[in-house]
Amino acid sequence: MKKINQLHLLLAVIVPLLYSCNAVHNLQLNTIRPAQVEYHSPSPNIVVVNNAEEPDSRQYSRYIDENNKRYRLSFDTDSVAYMMAMSLATHLYDSHIFNRVDVVFSDSSNITGSAGIDGERLSNWRLESPQDVFVVINNIKPVATMQVVPLDGMFGAELSVVSLAYLQCLVPGKEEINLVVNDTIAWHAYGETPDIARMYLPAFEECIDEAIISLSQVAADRFTPHRRIVDRYIFVTGHPAMKDAYRYWEEEKFEEASYIWEYVYKKGKDQGRRAKAAANLAIYNEIEENFAQALEYIEEAMKIFVEKNYVAEAEYASSYYQDLKKRIEENNILNNMKW
């Protein structure tokens, strides 16, 4: 069991609430999430296959000038499919989940693109490599938007790239899985004229490369256990007990803090304070991996927040409750993994 002092906890800025005596402290938890694919054996071999045609950059990409006029934006996409395949394979290899990671680049005459891999071709693969997992990249769409906006005598330039990839995963003995992954990355610059603002942006080709590498990491996370940072909030009120609890928390005396929150939750008369103590107890138990107990606390906090019309707090508790339920499901998957 992972204890609190072994986890990566990041305390961020204090966010004031409606009253000066109340505050929330942002806490980021580094969680482990499972792969979305169930494999047929521990540490299988995996083959990344490039089956994507060269994308047409002009179809959706646009340049929007300072007068809001739109122009088609084109860029070289010759290496997009190659980079996606190689980068995805590298991320899969670095996960240390697979016994072997190979990359196959289909001959241009055999690329079927969005149609995917047909049954005959898959049968041939299965004859040659009956136990291999195949991840096929069928389509990639990098859409770039460059825009210049006037800003109080200066100009701001933004380059954003929205990327999508359509993937096909073929695991021996299991149903075919079709996945769509997407990612967005942006860069900003400023200057006295539109030309200067654009000049301060990174080189366009470098941005496209970075966008594809980022997309490949998103794709790799579908096939491997991975880390994801989630936001939680510690509630503090003007009540002495709640202040004492947070002081213990800051001193990394987490168990002592939980005792105080439990006392406030069980004995407190102010319902809002009880709900905030319960929400804090949910975090403590989540970090201690007492997920069922954490779920009970955040559910109780949510009910009280709703009943007392604490709108922002109720929305947070509801989101936390749903995410925690998903974490419990995913934790069961992680515990049952074959590797």
Side-chain angles (χ1 to χ4, degrees):
M1 179 181 293
K2 295 179 181 177
K3 299 301 182 183
I4 288 181
N5 58 4
Q6 294 175 319
L7 289 181
H8 182 51
L9 307 183
L10 301 177
L11 291 176
V13 296
I14 300 175
V15 182
L17 289 179
L18 294 178
Y19 305 100
S20 59
C21 59
N22 294 289
V24 292
H25 297 251
N26 179 244
L27 179 69
Q28 294 185 319
L29 301 185
N30 200 346
T31 64
I32 303 295
R33 302 296 171 126
Q36 295 184 13
V37 175
E38 182 180 353
Y39 298 105
H40 61 299
S41 65
S43 301
N45 298 330
I46 192 166
V47 182
V48 176
V49 181
N50 173 43
N51 184 49
E53 298 174 341
E54 179 183 322
D56 180 5
S57 64
R58 288 176 53 84
Q59 188 172 4
Y60 301 107
S61 297
R62 296 291 183 268
Y63 170 65
I64 307 171
D65 71 10
E66 63 277 13
N67 297 312
N68 207 35
K69 291 184 177 180
R70 295 171 175 262
Y71 306 88
R72 288 185 180 274
L73 182 63
S74 64
F75 51 91
D76 184 11
T77 59
D78 288 350
S79 62
V80 164
Y82 175 85
M83 176 165 290
M84 179 68 187
M86 292 301 297
S87 185
L88 176 57
T90 299
H91 290 310
L92 295 176
Y93 176 82
D94 290 341
S95 72
H96 304 292
I97 295 298
F98 304 101
N99 177 57
R100 192 185 74 240
V101 179
D102 295 325
V103 185
V104 173
F105 294 94
S106 300
D107 186 87
S108 59
S109 60
N110 293 326
I111 290 178
T112 53
S114 298
I117 301 301
D118 58 31
E120 181 180 356
R121 193 173 176 192
L122 177 58
S123 296
N124 292 333
W125 289 356
R126 286 283 171 253
L127 287 173
E128 297 176 4
S129 307
Q131 294 302 312
D132 286 1
V133 175
F134 292 90
V135 173
V136 186
I137 304 168
N138 289 320
N139 197 356
I140 308 171
K141 291 183 178 179
V143 179
T145 302
M146 182 184 290
Q147 185 169 10
V148 176
V149 179
L151 295 171
D152 296 329
M154 296 188 66
F155 294 88
E158 178 189 76
L159 172 60
S160 63
V161 181
V162 178
S163 303
L164 295 92
Y166 297 81
L167 309 174
Q168 195 176 0
C169 182
L170 308 164
V171 180
K174 298 186 180 295
E175 291 186 5
E176 172 186 317
I177 301 171
N178 291 287
L179 298 170
V180 180
V181 297
N182 63 83
D183 188 46
T184 301
I185 190 168
W187 301 261
H188 300 85
Y190 304 91
E192 296 178 353
T193 67
D195 288 342
I196 293 175
R198 289 194 305 268
M199 182 181 67
Y200 283 131
L201 287 170
F204 196 95
E205 294 75 12
E206 293 177 6
C207 293
I208 298 300
D209 290 350
E210 187 175 344
I212 297 303
I213 291 171
S214 181
L215 178 66
S216 70
Q217 179 64 74
V218 175
D221 287 347
R222 301 293 185 95
F223 301 103
T224 64
H226 57 281
R227 296 186 180 275
R228 181 160 74 86
I229 293 176
V230 296
D231 287 312
R232 303 286 186 250
Y233 296 95
I234 299 288
F235 289 94
V236 184
T237 75
H239 191 275
M242 294 292 282
K243 288 182 178 180
D244 288 344
Y246 188 68
R247 186 171 65 252
Y248 279 127
W249 187 269
E250 284 187 308
E251 295 172 355
E252 298 189 358
K253 297 178 180 179
F254 306 112
E255 192 171 6
E256 288 85 346
S258 74
Y259 291 152
I260 298 177
W261 288 327
E262 187 174 7
Y263 177 84
V264 172
Y265 169 66
K266 290 181 176 179
K267 303 294 184 180
K269 295 181 180 180
D270 183 282
Q271 294 302 304
R273 190 182 306 132
R274 289 185 64 240
K276 292 174 181 179
N280 292 347
L281 284 168
I283 295 173
Y284 171 76
N285 281 277
E286 181 184 9
I287 295 172
E288 281 286 330
E289 296 187 355
N290 299 324
F291 295 122
Q293 189 71 47
L295 195 66
E296 290 179 11
Y297 277 122
I298 197 60
E299 183 176 18
E300 184 62 23
M302 179 174 58
K303 289 178 181 178
I304 298 174
F305 284 142
V306 170
E307 180 183 340
K308 296 301 177 180
N309 200 30
Y310 283 60
V311 177
E313 290 85 348
E315 290 178 354
Y316 160 70
S318 176
S319 176
Y320 185 179
Y321 178 78
Q322 295 301 325
D323 186 62
L324 193 54
K325 283 177 61 177
K326 186 175 181 181
R327 272 208 74 189
I328 292 172
E329 295 173 1
E330 293 176 339
N331 191 63
N332 293 332
I333 296 173
L334 286 168
N335 289 337
N336 292 327
M337 277 186 172
K338 297 178 180 179
W339 44 68

